[in-house]
Amino acid sequence: MLTLGSTVLGVNDVTRATAFWHAALGYVPREPGDETWIILVPASGQGAQLALMLSETPAQDHPRIHLDLYADNQQAEVERLISLGASRVDWDLYPEDPDFVVLADPDGNRFCVVAHNPQ
């Protein structure tokens, strides 16, 4: 049996990316990392891991894999993430009535902030 361990993002600066994702999600290092690799986990101990790996490859404009971050207050979270260093993406693939906003982290990795409406 397999289980999903971590989602890995390639970044240009592991220290800067660690600071951004810590501020964005409240994630903390699982163990000490270095300038090439670190695994972040929720401070509560529950939830998905996010690994950051040094990469010289540029971020893709239309990535095949991305993060969806669910937000109870989408607009407030988008503004908070922008204040932390994220940027808005001029996304050409929005549907007519999107429930998500596309942002990029400081390294240009695209991610979505999805309006979370629990049923």
Side-chain angles (χ1 to χ4, degrees), residues 20-91:
F20 174 80
W21 289 108
H22 168 71
L25 300 175
Y27 275 37
V28 297
R30 185 180 73 186
E31 55 205 26
D34 60 30
E35 67 278 354
T36 65
W37 178 261
I38 193 162
I39 297 175
L40 304 176
V41 296
S44 68
Q46 298 296 317
Q49 297 184 145
L50 178 64
L52 305 171
M53 175 184 71
L54 184 64
S55 175
E56 294 181 9
T57 304
Q60 297 174 325
D61 289 340
H62 295 98
R64 292 174 59 129
I65 296 176
H66 67 273
L67 301 176
D68 278 350
L69 307 179
Y70 287 19
D72 291 332
N73 185 333
Q74 182 186 47
Q75 182 177 346
E77 287 298 336
V78 166
E79 295 308 317
R80 185 180 72 85
L81 292 164
I82 289 171
S83 76
L84 296 173
S87 57
R88 290 186 182 271
V89 173
D90 186 16
W91 192 247

Side-chain angles (χ1 to χ4, degrees), residues 93-112:
L93 300 176
Y94 276 119
E96 278 194 38
D97 189 23
D99 65 345
F100 63 95
V101 175
V102 180
L103 299 178
D105 72 5
D107 282 285
N109 293 307
R110 277 35 175 184
F111 63 95
C112 295

